[in-house]
Amino acid sequence: MDLNATPSSERIHIGIFGKRNAGKSSLINAITGQNLAIVSDTKGTTTDPVYKAMEILPLGPVMIIDTPGIDDEGELGTQRVQKAVQVLNKTDIAILVIDSTLGPDKEDTEKKLPVIAVFTKAEAAADLTNYEKILGVKCMAVSSVSGRNIAELRTALAALVPDKKSTQQLVGDLVNPGDTAVLVVPVDSAAPK
């Protein structure tokens, strides 16, 4: 199957979460090697979730989702945060982006998905073992500017890919080995694929 034609439901959905100006959009640009997301020093540049279908090796076809900051303020900010939270329902793997100059706080410790905590703006090597204990997830220091540890991040993401093959069953709970089943397949060219 052509990777560009891979349906959204068959792609690994990678949600990028974090506070405003933590470096989420810069990280997306670094991971993809493209200038996909607008990067600015102005807080709240990303106002709605941005979906980008693409292929990233070694992951294969993915849907990357850039989200607004989880610390946005005001009436519009609350709506933006709600949109970011809605993305969690569509996410297979979450990247929690933390500005290494600020460090994590209690908002950064909540997780329900496979998560990697990525400390951005980390031009120098950083010891993150203490943060791994605090957050309870794998932590990586990356630099979107220099590209430091971006390839390692892709590899770490590939290791977190959930095994969808074991959960995708059409009639696995209805038919037992040895049972007889009749499958009706439409031959109409207008029928759904």
Side-chain angles (χ1 to χ4, degrees):
M1 176 182 279
D2 178 13
L3 290 175
N4 291 327
T6 303
S8 177
S9 62
E10 294 296 319
R11 292 178 179 274
I12 300 162
H13 286 64
I14 303 171
I16 314 287
F17 303 92
K19 293 183 177 180
R20 292 173 295 163
N21 273 38
K24 299 182 299 295
S25 297
S26 295
L27 182 64
I28 285 177
N29 291 345
I31 290 172
T32 63
Q34 299 178 22
N35 192 14
L36 295 175
I38 296 172
V39 177
S40 168
D41 289 335
T42 304
K43 285 188 173 186
T45 301
T46 304
T47 59
D48 290 304
V50 177
Y51 295 78
K52 177 61 179 168
M54 62 185 328
E55 179 185 6
I56 298 177
L57 296 176
L59 296 167
V62 299
M63 178 72 72
I64 295 181
I65 311 165
D66 189 8
T67 63
I70 58 174
D71 65 333
D72 213 333
E73 301 167 335
E75 186 177 328
L76 281 176
T78 301
Q79 292 177 27
R80 291 175 185 147
V81 171
Q82 288 172 348
K83 290 286 186 182
V85 171
Q86 288 175 355
V87 170
L88 282 171
N89 295 330
K90 303 173 186 178
T91 301
D92 296 312
I93 299 172
I95 298 177
L96 177 60
V97 180
I98 300 168
D99 185 336
S100 67
T101 62
L102 302 174
D105 63 21
K106 69 174 188 145
E107 289 176 343
D108 296 326
T109 60
E110 299 175 7
K111 63 175 176 49
K112 301 208 185 300
L113 300 165
V115 175
I116 293 179
V118 174
F119 286 75
T120 58
K121 306 175 188 177
E123 302 305 324
D127 181 15
L128 302 175
T129 53
N130 192 37
Y131 288 136
E132 286 184 344
K133 291 175 187 173
I134 293 169
L135 297 171
V137 298
K138 178 173 180 57
C139 294
M140 297 183 71
V142 303
S143 171
S144 299
V145 175
S146 69
R148 187 171 134 324
N149 286 341
I150 296 296
E152 291 80 359
L153 175 58
R154 288 186 197 121
T155 302
L157 287 170
L160 288 178
V161 173
D163 183 16
K164 288 188 173 186
K165 292 178 184 172
S166 64
T167 61
Q168 293 181 339
Q169 297 182 356
L170 185 59
V171 292
D173 57 342
L174 300 174
V175 180
N176 295 316
D179 288 353
T180 302
V182 177
L183 180 62
V184 178
V185 180
V187 292
D188 182 5
S189 63
K193 292 182 179 181

